[in-house]
Amino acid sequence: MSLSVNDPSLTSWVEVAKDSDFPIQNLPLGIIQMWNEKPRVASRIGDFAIDLKSLYVLGYMENLAFSADDFDTNSLNKMMKKGKLGTRKLRERISKLLQSGTSDLKNKQHHVDQILIPMEDVTMLMPIEIGDYTDFYSSEQHAFNVGCLFRDPENALMPNWKHIPVGYHGRSSSILPSGVDFHRPKGQMKPPTADLPVFGQSNLLDFELETAFFTYEGKPLGGSISTTEADDYIFGMTLLNDWSARDIQGWEYVPLGPFLGKNFASHISCWIVTLDALEPFRVPGPVQDPKVLPYLEYTGDKHIAINLDVLIQPEGKEAVSVCTSNYRHMYWNMNQQLAHHSVNGCNIRTGDCMGSGTISGPEVGQYGSMLEISWKGTKPFAMPDGSERKFILDNDTVIMRGYCEKDGVRIGFGEVAAKVLPAN
Ligand code: MN
């Protein structure tokens, strides 16, 4: 699909640095707060937030499906109710107003001053009121690595793995926006050498490098979304750090799967990059062998090349890169995940969040969790300050970044960052 607003030759009269994640081809959506004012809906170009409420009030949104209420609010959910075509038209309008050669807004400096807000003057808030959170397990290298660590290479993948996009239902209440620090979780665990479980702080706190996608209103209960229809139900994506307490998880997960080792915190980046903006960066996925069941078949390029980086920043020190991966390495794509999720008639709602699962690439250095990077603690990662990491220490900040690049255009997600505070 080719959208004119994605044209690599487009430029804006707003100055955008060459390595910015937010050129005119991106125009993500998020929620900003200025000083103590009410939160509102915004987009972004370069180092400016674009205040969409002001854009509406000043008359630049005529003939669109939106009302002032859709922008004068603390989540994107209301505007997401307008569906794919509604938000696509909105992005086209914002692009048109900011394009070089369009002067409607540019020539009214008093309007520009109200609409373009320097990013240093805004706080980014949680962009979406998330209903349900589902996390998949769709990177083959990650599933293989974990299978090797806990079983053996011959039986690394479970028999269902290449037939089902494996997932579980998580918890949305503890999904946080980038920048909100959290305390190391406590819980019950059983050390390998102990006979009985103990209670205490998690000592094996890990990150998971993931992306998330957010849905438009799906079909009513009983309806299913096909792989072909899935694009129309996906609003956009963020980076996701799906924190894990490996020691709590390891003791609790049999037989019902992840619980308290997973639901204490997950962080997302604050700008939702629309699926429309990501279309130019589509790539083919892996050949799926064995052949999948018909409801999971898809046509066209449904994977997306997104460069991903993870850094650990110890308190007061430089951030250190520990992983460089790419979203293109996924085995299952979002269309298959959504089709599988709804094939039983499960209804998908506006603002549901679906995690990709840890994204590990095929090479050492591309593994998306400390569990894999340190190979279950047997190969500590050497930090330049002389310390080492098997897992994440107190006061470490974990930073994830992501961007796509093609034809001279770079669009990105910014970052998701959060610091681990000592246990309460
Ligand atoms: Mn996860």
Side-chain angles (χ1 to χ4, degrees), residues 21-22 124 126-127 175-182 207-212 237-243 265-271 308-313 319 396-403 412-419:
D21 280 348
F22 305 103
M124 297 297 303
M126 191 68 187
I175 301 182
L176 305 166
S178 179
V180 175
D181 300 335
F182 69 106
F207 61 79
E208 287 185 345
L209 169 63
E210 302 195 21
T211 59
M237 296 177 72
T238 63
L239 306 171
L240 167 68
N241 181 352
D242 188 34
W243 297 96
S266 298
H267 281 84
I268 60 170
S269 51
C270 291
W271 291 109
L308 298 165
D309 296 299
V310 185
L311 303 96
I312 297 175
Q313 183 168 30
D396 280 351
T397 299
V398 174
I399 304 164
M400 296 177 179
R401 299 189 181 126
Y403 66 95
F413 293 81
E415 65 179 31
V416 54
K419 182 158 86 172

Side-chain angles (χ1 to χ4, degrees), residues 139-326:
S139 154
E140 183 175 2
Q141 187 68 51
H142 173 69
F144 177 78
N145 288 347
V146 172
C148 290
L149 286 168
F150 292 96
R151 288 183 296 277
D152 64 273
E154 278 67 51
N155 301 294
L157 293 185
M158 296 301 275
N160 62 2
W161 200 88
K162 291 206 164 178
H163 298 279
I164 289 177
V166 169
Y168 73 96
H169 284 304
R171 187 167 177 84
S172 58
S173 67
S174 51
I175 301 182
L176 305 166
S178 179
V180 175
D181 300 335
F182 69 106
H183 292 275
R184 176 179 296 273
K186 294 180 290 191
Q188 187 181 137
M189 57 208 110
K190 193 172 90 65
T193 53
D195 293 329
L196 290 169
V198 297
F199 175 83
Q201 65 168 48
S202 168
N203 290 311
L204 307 183
L205 181 60
D206 200 356
F207 61 79
E208 287 185 345
L209 169 63
E210 302 195 21
T211 59
F213 71 88
F214 297 86
T215 56
Y216 292 110
E217 191 69 19
K219 296 182 182 179
L221 186 73
S224 303
I225 296 169
S226 69
T227 57
T228 307
E229 294 170 320
D231 289 341
D232 292 336
Y233 291 93
I234 299 173
F235 169 51
M237 296 177 72
T238 63
L239 306 171
L240 167 68
N241 181 352
D242 188 34
W243 297 96
S244 300
R246 300 297 181 197
D247 36 11
I248 297 172
Q249 189 179 5
W251 171 233
E252 76 180 357
Y253 84 105
V254 179
L256 289 188
F259 192 26
L260 304 186
K262 299 294 304 177
N263 69 5
F264 55 92
S266 298
H267 281 84
I268 60 170
S269 51
C270 291
W271 291 109
I272 314 282
V273 177
T274 63
L275 190 62
D276 273 355
L278 293 164
E279 289 294 342
F281 307 96
R282 293 279 195 186
V283 288
V287 175
Q288 295 185 323
D289 179 24
K291 203 163 139 40
V292 298
L293 286 170
Y295 81 93
L296 289 169
E297 288 175 356
Y298 66 96
T299 53
D301 292 347
K302 290 300 164 201
H303 286 59
I304 305 176
I306 306 173
N307 299 291
L308 298 165
D309 296 299
V310 185
L311 303 96
I312 297 175
Q313 183 168 30
E315 185 86 348
K317 305 233 172 79
E318 292 274 299
V320 178
S321 172
V322 296
C323 162
T324 301
S325 187
N326 197 302

Side-chain angles (χ1 to χ4, degrees), residues 42-212:
S43 182
R44 177 164 175 178
I45 186 160
D47 291 329
F48 294 96
I50 307 163
D51 173 1
L52 298 191
K53 184 196 166 190
S54 295
L55 208 58
Y56 182 89
V57 169
L58 294 170
Y60 292 98
M61 297 244 197
E62 278 175 14
N63 303 318
L64 294 178
F66 298 95
S67 64
D69 285 353
D70 296 325
F71 304 114
D72 190 12
T73 172
N74 64 357
S75 84
L76 300 176
N77 294 51
K78 271 188 199 166
M79 55 156 294
M80 288 164 70
K81 294 270 188 188
K82 308 293 181 193
K84 187 97 172 184
L85 286 180
T87 53
R88 178 175 294 165
K89 286 203 160 71
L90 174 67
R91 187 164 159 266
E92 286 168 351
R93 176 66 58 86
I94 301 166
S95 173
K96 188 71 190 163
L97 287 165
L98 297 175
Q99 283 171 23
S100 304
T102 307
S103 52
D104 308 37
L105 173 60
K106 183 189 177 192
N107 289 349
K108 296 200 181 80
Q109 191 59 45
H110 58 297
H111 286 182
V112 173
D113 292 342
Q114 279 183 72
I115 289 165
L116 295 184
I117 319 290
M119 279 305 295
E120 61 258 32
D121 292 343
V122 308
T123 304
M124 297 297 303
L125 303 180
M126 191 68 187
I128 288 182
E129 194 181 321
I130 297 173
D132 284 303
Y133 169 42
T134 300
D135 195 27
F136 287 95
Y137 190 60
S138 290
S139 154
E140 183 175 2
Q141 187 68 51
H142 173 69
F144 177 78
N145 288 347
V146 172
C148 290
L149 286 168
F150 292 96
R151 288 183 296 277
D152 64 273
E154 278 67 51
N155 301 294
L157 293 185
M158 296 301 275
N160 62 2
W161 200 88
K162 291 206 164 178
H163 298 279
I164 289 177
V166 169
Y168 73 96
H169 284 304
R171 187 167 177 84
S172 58
S173 67
S174 51
I175 301 182
L176 305 166
S178 179
V180 175
D181 300 335
F182 69 106
H183 292 275
R184 176 179 296 273
K186 294 180 290 191
Q188 187 181 137
M189 57 208 110
K190 193 172 90 65
T193 53
D195 293 329
L196 290 169
V198 297
F199 175 83
Q201 65 168 48
S202 168
N203 290 311
L204 307 183
L205 181 60
D206 200 356
F207 61 79
E208 287 185 345
L209 169 63
E210 302 195 21
T211 59

